[in-house]
Amino acid sequence: MLLLLMIFLPMAAAPVGWMIGRRSKRGRDALAIGVGFVELALALAAYFLRSSAGADLTAELGGICGLGLRLKYDGFRAVYCLVLSFMWAMTLLFSPDYFAHHHNRNRYYFFQLLTLGATMGVFLSADLYTAFVFFEIMSFTSFPWVIQEETAGAIRAAKTYLAVAVIGGLVALMGIFLLHARLGTLELDALYPAAQAAGKRPVFYTAAACILFGFGAKAGMFPLHIWLPKAHPVAPAPASALLSGALTKSGVWGILAVSCQLFRGDPAWGTVILALGTVTMLLGAVLALFSVDLKRTLACSSMSQIGFILVGVGMMGILGEENALAARGTVLHMVNHSVFKLVLFLCAGTVFRNLHQLDLNDIRGFGRKKPLLKAAFLLGAMGIGGVPLLNGYVSKTLLHEGIVEGAHLTGSLWLTAVEWIFLFSGGLTAAYMTKLFVAVFVEKHPTRQAEFDGMKRYLSRPAALALGLSALVVPILGLTADHTMNAVADLASDFLHGEAPAHAVHYLSAENLKGAAISIAIGAAVYGCVVRTGMMRRGVYLNRWPARLDLEDLVYRPLLLRILPGLFGWLCAFFGENRVTGPLAKGAMAVGSRLGAIFGENRVTGPAAKGLFARTRTLSHALSDSLDALVVALQRTVFRQSAERRENKVADTVSYRLGEKLDRAAARLGGERAGRTRYAERLYRIRRTVRETGRQITGNLSFALLMLVLAICAVLACVLLR
């Protein structure tokens, strides 16, 4: 019951909040914030309930969408339910200040709460089908976040986001159906034993590749990252924090589910994930370094950090039973990245709320005399840059040690190259975060600096509380890593199937500090030699990234809008109305018509066919009547008493009792015989028919697909809500 409440409470509160918002904006805001903190309380209650019971929590809704919905609450899910609920509580607390002068606020809060429930559903899923259902709901309910401002850029980015979500969802569904057809189960805990019993088959890799495509698109994995750098800058800052810190992790969750359950300890699969993660890690960092837009830089940074996480997932597959360090680093960097992006996007939201600008040249110097904003951003920047004593250093150290261990065990030059790309990407992270901090908090604006310094009331108290609490998590986790972060890693070890490390990890050892020092030194060199010289001219930040290298415009739009329609259009035309096959098709139709005339309505075969049909019809009626007679005879003899016993049991139902009251009323009014149960029997039959019909309909896959279509229509309709 508690798990169902965590999912459906915010969903149920969404329409209530929308109706309240039509009359009272403050009432709606208070309801949304209250739901966020209630969700956090429910996550804490579930954690303590699981700890006291000493067993995982489960729940099930059978018959829904054909296969039913199954939920599970284990250690890993406990960690991320707490992370998600904390992020939503902080963003909802920050939102009233951010949206003080915005339009369409009702719509924003409506979909904010719907997405909270759907995202919780993804992480609580016990099987891939349940995860897919909530994953698709989450994708559609988060679409209005991207289109919230309704500018030309927001509309284009929303179209890209929706296209990636729909195509990715359909491809993932194909993979899920393939797995179910081959293994007979989609339950995560049963995937590995079922796959081992079936033996390695190419179809498993095909199915897993489809699932990787769908979930990797949401995670922002290369080459499916195209939505991420465009959706974040146009979405409201609180929504960007959740898109980056929460929704991308739902994609990572799907990749983890396949990697740790189906392909546990599979080096081939691990190598594929490692290669994709390495490219994503490096490319995201390069894109962030070139960006001159505050939120776009943070968006590209999210892509890079997802690459760091995928590198850990890949190393888990390569290392097999020796995957302790990689597994712990993976889950900890997931948590840390969620915290970083919560802090950094709330800081970016504060800047945008006051200036309505995001270009570094327009916002430079805004934070010089704003100590809370400066401290929060600095903590987030240093944390994500891997500075020692902060939480990002801990997770990056574990990931680095996992790569080093893999290179030592396998002697692979490829893994040695991955290690140096890892350190270089960490250096780029330090460089672009230094670029942002210097621009916003150190440099001066050439014309508006006095105006910026005079903005004393730049943040409301609730928003300041949300920003301060979020930022405090960074040093608290870093300074207490031996207790807090190790406990988090221990909780998640069962889901990741990570073995315990052979010895305690000394985070501040000379070897581990050396890796962090190398990345920081690379970052300092890149900032001094590249950013300050090649990416600036006379104190102005320049966007040096070539626009023609946009992967969406360069590859995906031509492929989907020109190449594929042209190719398949030509194929359809070849087999349709053309000079080659057209006459052949018409000739075939003429021959078929002649044959039908010969063997159909003509003087030779016509009467014979009619006679045979008449004899067959008579025989069919006879067989049907005899079966009906047999059924009636059995009902009135053998099954008479059992039927009566079943009918007697309905006396306890509400419908039967209501019918009895109607029968008594009818007897008094119309003089009918007392004790007659005409209405009682009818109401019971109606209720039973409705229940059985509903069970057949809701248990049908076609019904599930119909509900998905209706959900899409509902989302598009609700986009117009004001």
Side-chain angles (χ1 to χ4, degrees):
M1 183 62 184
L2 187 57
L3 303 186
L4 297 176
L5 200 60
M6 291 170 65
I7 295 172
F8 294 110
L9 174 64
M11 288 185 168
V16 175
W18 183 83
M19 289 186 289
I20 293 175
R22 302 291 290 181
R23 295 182 176 272
S24 172
K25 308 302 181 186
R26 289 186 177 181
R28 175 206 57 210
D29 296 349
L31 174 69
I33 294 171
V35 170
F37 280 93
V38 167
E39 192 75 6
L40 180 58
L42 290 175
L44 288 170
Y47 171 78
F48 288 116
L49 180 60
R50 176 184 178 272
S51 300
S52 61
D56 297 336
L57 309 180
T58 59
E60 183 173 350
L61 293 174
I64 295 181
C65 298
L67 298 178
L69 303 179
R70 296 176 179 84
L71 308 175
K72 184 178 180 180
Y73 186 88
D74 59 6
F76 176 81
R77 293 172 174 90
V79 169
Y80 242 89
C81 284
L82 288 170
V83 171
L84 293 176
S85 56
F86 177 76
M87 291 188 69
W88 249 275
M90 294 300 103
T91 53
L92 286 169
L93 186 61
F94 185 87
S95 292
D97 183 57
Y98 182 86
F99 285 100
H101 304 290
H102 278 65
H103 60 287
N104 298 332
R105 287 174 286 177
N106 249 12
R107 182 175 72 190
Y108 167 78
Y109 284 106
F110 179 81
F111 287 105
Q112 182 86 316
L113 294 177
L114 285 180
T115 309
L116 169 57
T119 310
M120 281 289 183
V122 173
F123 280 92
L124 289 173
S125 299
D127 59 62
L128 287 175
Y129 189 71
T130 303
F132 172 79
V133 171
F134 286 114
F135 188 80
E136 289 303 289
I137 296 173
M138 179 194 70
S139 296
F140 288 114
T141 55
S142 58
F143 161 76
W145 293 357
V146 184
I147 207 172
Q148 173 72 20
E149 300 298 336
E150 297 182 3
T151 61
I155 293 172
R156 179 180 171 87
K159 289 179 179 179
T160 302
Y161 179 82
L162 191 61
V164 172
V166 170
I167 295 173
L170 291 174
V171 174
L173 185 61
M174 287 193 297
I176 289 171
F177 282 163
L178 275 175
L179 274 185
H180 187 264
R182 296 295 180 180
L183 297 179
T185 182
L186 292 173
E187 187 177 352
L188 295 180
D189 293 338
L191 285 181
Y192 183 72
Q196 291 297 108
K200 286 189 176 181
R201 296 183 182 179
V203 69
F204 293 161
Y205 290 98
T206 303
C210 292
I211 297 172
L212 176 65
F213 184 97
F215 284 95
K218 183 64 68 182
M221 180 186 71
F222 175 85
L224 307 170
H225 64 281
I226 55 172
W227 67 271
L228 201 148
K230 299 181 179 180
H232 285 64
V234 299
S240 296
L242 295 173
L243 283 168
S244 177
L247 270 64
T248 56
K249 302 308 181 301
S250 67
V252 175
W253 181 93
I255 298 172
L256 279 174
V258 174
S259 302
C260 299
Q261 308 299 335
L262 184 63
F263 294 121
R264 190 185 310 165
D266 189 321
W269 178 259
T271 301
V272 171
I273 301 296
L274 179 63
L276 292 172
T278 302
V279 176
T280 304
M281 174 179 64
L282 179 60
L283 179 60
V286 171
L287 291 174
L289 188 69
F290 275 83
S291 173
V292 296
D293 183 285
L294 176 58
K295 287 179 67 179
R296 179 180 169 83
T297 303
L298 296 179
C300 296
S301 170
S302 293
M303 174 185 170
S304 178
Q305 300 307 309
I306 292 298
F308 279 89
I309 295 168
L310 293 179
V311 166
V313 177
M315 290 306 305
M316 288 166 57
I318 292 174
L319 290 171
E321 295 182 356
E322 304 292 333
N323 66 354
L325 296 176
R328 297 170 79 85
T330 298
V331 68
L332 290 180
H333 204 62
M334 286 179 66
V335 173
N336 290 338
H337 178 248
S338 295
V339 175
F340 298 147
K341 287 309 160 70
L342 175 62
V343 175
L344 293 172
F345 272 111
L346 292 188
C347 291
T350 303
V351 175
F352 184 79
R353 174 200 178 278
N354 288 274
L355 302 182
H356 300 286
Q357 299 285 343
L358 289 170
D359 191 289
L360 294 184
N361 297 300
D362 297 323
I363 65 175
R364 62 196 307 170
F366 171 78
R368 281 176 57 87
K369 293 187 177 181
K370 298 174 177 59
L372 174 62
L373 184 65
K374 180 185 291 188
F377 192 93
L378 183 61
L379 285 173
M382 292 173 65
I384 201 171
V387 175
L389 300 181
L390 299 178
N391 55 345
Y393 166 77
V394 175
S395 55
K396 285 191 173 183
T397 295
L398 290 169
L399 291 173
H400 179 231
E401 288 300 302
I403 300 172
V404 171
E405 184 178 17
H408 176 72
L409 292 176
T410 62
S412 171
L413 294 177
W414 150 244
L415 291 183
T416 302
V418 169
E419 179 194 359
W420 281 104
I421 295 173
F422 181 94
L423 294 174
F424 182 71
S425 299
L428 294 183
T429 303
Y432 63 70
M433 292 310 302
T434 302
K435 174 183 176 180
L436 294 181
F437 183 80
V438 170
V440 180
F441 299 98
V442 177
E443 295 177 337
K444 293 183 178 181
H445 195 279
T447 59
R448 301 181 63 187
Q449 191 58 50
E451 177 190 349
F452 291 168
D453 292 343
M455 294 180 178
K456 302 300 182 182
R457 301 177 64 86
Y458 64 94
L459 205 59
S460 69
R461 289 183 179 179
L465 178 62
L467 181 59
L469 289 176
S470 302
L472 279 177
V473 176
V474 177
I476 288 174
L477 290 179
L479 294 172
T480 62
D482 288 334
H483 303 287
T484 55
M485 301 193 74
N486 283 349
V488 169
D490 292 338
L491 266 178
S493 60
D494 287 345
F495 182 82
L496 301 180
H497 297 282
E499 299 295 329
H503 54 81
V505 180
H506 302 289
Y507 296 116
L508 297 179
S509 66
E511 190 65 27
N512 290 330
L513 289 172
K514 177 183 175 183
I518 291 174
S519 288
I520 293 173
I522 292 173
V526 170
Y527 179 77
C529 300
V530 178
V531 175
R532 301 302 298 184
T533 57
M535 295 184 178
M536 296 185 70
R537 180 181 297 171
R538 298 177 181 176
V540 176
Y541 290 94
L542 303 175
N543 185 2
R544 298 291 194 181
W545 187 259
R548 63 179 179 274
L549 294 183
D550 187 325
L551 198 60
E552 178 183 352
D553 294 330
L554 187 66
V555 177
Y556 291 116
R557 284 186 177 270
L559 180 65
L560 294 175
L561 300 180
R562 292 199 298 269
I563 297 175
L564 291 179
L567 174 63
F568 289 105
W570 178 82
L571 289 175
C572 293
F574 179 78
F575 290 103
E577 292 292 335
N578 59 74
R579 296 180 180 179
V580 179
T581 60
L584 294 177
K586 291 179 180 178
M589 292 176 65
V591 171
S593 178
R594 289 293 181 87
L595 290 174
I598 293 174
F599 292 102
E601 291 292 336
N602 59 71
R603 296 179 180 179
V604 179
T605 60
K610 290 180 179 179
L612 179 61
F613 179 74
R615 301 296 182 274
T616 306
R617 182 174 58 186
T618 302
L619 179 61
S620 300
H621 279 302
L623 291 173
S624 177
D625 292 342
S626 63
L627 290 174
D628 290 341
L630 178 60
V631 170
V632 171
L634 290 173
Q635 285 180 341
R636 295 187 176 182
T637 56
V638 178
F639 298 107
R640 181 177 181 180
Q641 293 182 350
S642 60
E644 289 176 351
R645 284 196 297 270
R646 285 196 301 270
E647 291 299 327
N648 288 336
K649 292 180 181 179
V650 305
D652 294 330
T653 65
V654 176
S655 60
Y656 196 85
R657 292 180 179 180
L658 177 61
E660 286 181 330
K661 292 181 180 180
L662 291 175
D663 287 324
R664 286 194 293 269
R668 286 195 297 268
L669 293 175
E672 296 183 6
R673 177 170 55 86
R676 190 172 183 182
T677 58
R678 179 178 60 183
Y679 290 108
E681 292 172 354
R682 285 183 179 179
L683 285 176
Y684 171 70
R685 286 197 296 268
I686 291 172
R687 180 175 178 274
R688 184 176 57 185
T689 303
V690 169
R691 185 174 64 251
E692 292 178 354
T693 305
R695 187 183 299 115
Q696 293 174 0
I697 291 175
T698 56
N700 192 289
L701 185 59
S702 299
F703 174 78
L705 297 177
L706 176 62
M707 290 299 101
L708 179 61
V709 172
L710 292 178
I712 297 172
C713 296
V715 168
L716 297 179
C718 289
V719 166
L720 303 178
L721 292 175
R722 294 292 187 272

